[in-house]
Amino acid sequence: MTNEQPHLTIIETGGVSIVEFADRKILEELCIAEIQDTLLKLVAETPKIDLLLDFANVDHLSSSALGTLITLNKAVEEAKGRLKLANITPQIFEVFKITRLNKLFHIYGTKKEALESF
């Protein structure tokens, strides 16, 4: 099943919800709010969700987008689910390291590696 939104696509495969982002830059507040609303709704509707965020298309994330990831991670944990991230560019990964978010999230080099880890 595929669910297309303006800023992302959600693909259900093998019990995992894979989120692919449409925008190269996730910087605008309205865009981030829409992404957050969509993903939090998905988590609320799917008990024990296995969620994979694929950042293959993303070159830039704002600090607000990072905040959304933290909020999403908390919601997934509360739903007894699992959240994994994949295909983060070296530039974005540097921000994760500086903010120590690389310790909070399970980050994989490829979507395939992340899927195999569920």
Side-chain angles (χ1 to χ4, degrees), residues 91-104:
Q91 178 182 340
I92 294 174
F93 188 73
E94 225 16 71
V95 175
F96 274 74
K97 279 176 34 183
I98 291 166
T99 57
R100 296 186 168 272
L101 290 177
N102 61 320
K103 305 278 189 228
L104 178 65

Side-chain angles (χ1 to χ4, degrees), residues 68-78 83 104-105:
T68 291
L69 290 177
I70 294 166
T71 301
L72 179 63
N73 187 57
K74 188 170 189 249
V76 169
E77 283 179 355
E78 287 171 358
L83 174 64
L104 178 65
F105 294 105

Side-chain angles (χ1 to χ4, degrees), residues 6-101:
H7 303 290
L8 47 85
T9 301
I10 303 167
I11 303 162
E12 294 285 333
T13 181
V16 178
S17 299
I18 303 170
V19 176
E20 296 176 348
F21 297 95
D23 304 314
R24 299 219 58 78
K25 298 178 181 181
I26 302 176
L27 304 172
E28 297 175 23
E29 291 301 318
L30 181 61
C31 166
I32 293 164
E34 288 173 3
I35 289 170
Q36 180 170 320
D37 290 347
T38 300
L39 294 179
L40 289 177
K41 183 174 181 237
L42 177 66
V43 170
E45 292 171 351
T46 315
K48 295 186 178 177
I49 189 168
D50 283 338
L51 185 60
L52 169 57
L53 304 184
D54 184 356
F55 287 88
N57 297 329
V58 180
D59 294 328
H60 300 285
L61 286 178
S62 71
S63 57
S64 292
L66 293 176
T68 291
L69 290 177
I70 294 166
T71 301
L72 179 63
N73 187 57
K74 188 170 189 249
V76 169
E77 283 179 355
E78 287 171 358
K80 306 280 187 265
R82 296 180 290 182
L83 174 64
K84 314 238 174 157
L85 312 181
N87 289 316
I88 293 179
T89 65
Q91 178 182 340
I92 294 174
F93 188 73
E94 225 16 71
V95 175
F96 274 74
K97 279 176 34 183
I98 291 166
T99 57
R100 296 186 168 272
L101 290 177

Side-chain angles (χ1 to χ4, degrees), residues 101-117:
L101 290 177
N102 61 320
K103 305 278 189 228
L104 178 65
F105 294 105
H106 299 280
I107 302 173
Y108 296 85
T110 67
K111 179 166 55 175
K112 183 177 185 288
E113 290 170 351
L115 281 171
E116 289 171 354
S117 74

